[in-house]
Amino acid sequence: MRVSIFSDRVGAGRELAVLLEAERGTAAIVLGIPRGGMVVAAAVARVLDLPLASVPPRTPPSLVGRTAVVVDDGVATGATAMAACRAVQARGAVRIVLAAPVAPVDWHPDASVVDEWVCPHRVREFWAVGTFYRDFTQTTDAEVNALLGDQWT
């Protein structure tokens, strides 16, 4: 059974941005997990007027002393999200916020790596991230490059 919560990744990012409003006006940077997470992250960054990069950063932004908002399009097992957060931690981020629109209800990130976990939809019956999107079309490298090139700050 397919249960769509989001129309697409952009809509999911806009919803997620509402919960991340406290980061607006700070020195935070939004880091998307390629590839689908980049679309969600770009929407978050655009709404909050924050810079956008990818994890791992294609061009290494200075994360020392900054908050890193690590965004994916959803968390299934959490392995990718935690690897991304560890990479960001190694680059010197002072605070790491992991944000995803949807995840299993009983999944929580490693507190020694993630300072804040933001997820508006924690689902009991979780099969795959894509089942929660009406449009879960694969994101291409060209789309990711375009998002990174489309900086609004």
Side-chain angles (χ1 to χ4, degrees):
M1 175 183 213
R2 189 174 171 98
V3 180
S4 297
I5 296 174
F6 311 107
S7 59
D8 58 19
R9 289 181 179 98
V10 173
R14 289 181 184 140
E15 181 176 334
L16 198 53
V18 172
L19 299 177
L20 295 165
E21 185 64 34
E23 302 305 329
R24 181 190 298 274
T26 69
I29 184 168
V30 178
L31 300 167
I33 298 175
R35 286 184 281 190
M38 285 302 303
V39 178
V40 178
V44 169
R46 193 171 283 124
V47 168
L48 299 179
D49 196 27
L50 293 172
L52 173 69
S54 66
V55 176
R58 292 186 181 184
T59 56
S62 174
L63 298 179
V64 177
R66 293 179 84 173
T67 293
V69 180
V70 178
V71 178
D72 205 354
D73 53 7
V75 171
T77 66
T80 302
M82 290 311 304
C85 289
R86 285 186 181 92
V88 167
Q89 184 182 50
R91 290 187 178 265
V94 69
R95 183 169 164 263
I96 298 173
V97 177
L98 176 59
V102 64
V105 70
D106 57 351
W107 187 85
H108 300 283
D110 181 344
S112 70
V113 179
V114 175
D115 299 292
E116 184 179 351
W117 165 226
V118 177
C119 181
H121 299 279
R122 297 179 188 178
V123 181
R124 196 168 306 285
E125 297 284 330
F126 194 98
W127 296 100
V129 172
T131 62
F132 300 99
Y133 289 85
R134 275 193 299 276
D135 177 1
F136 199 67
T137 305
Q138 184 174 352
T139 305
T140 66
D141 285 339
E143 289 171 296
V144 171
N145 289 332
L147 291 168
L148 290 170
D150 183 31
Q151 294 294 309
W152 41 89
T153 57

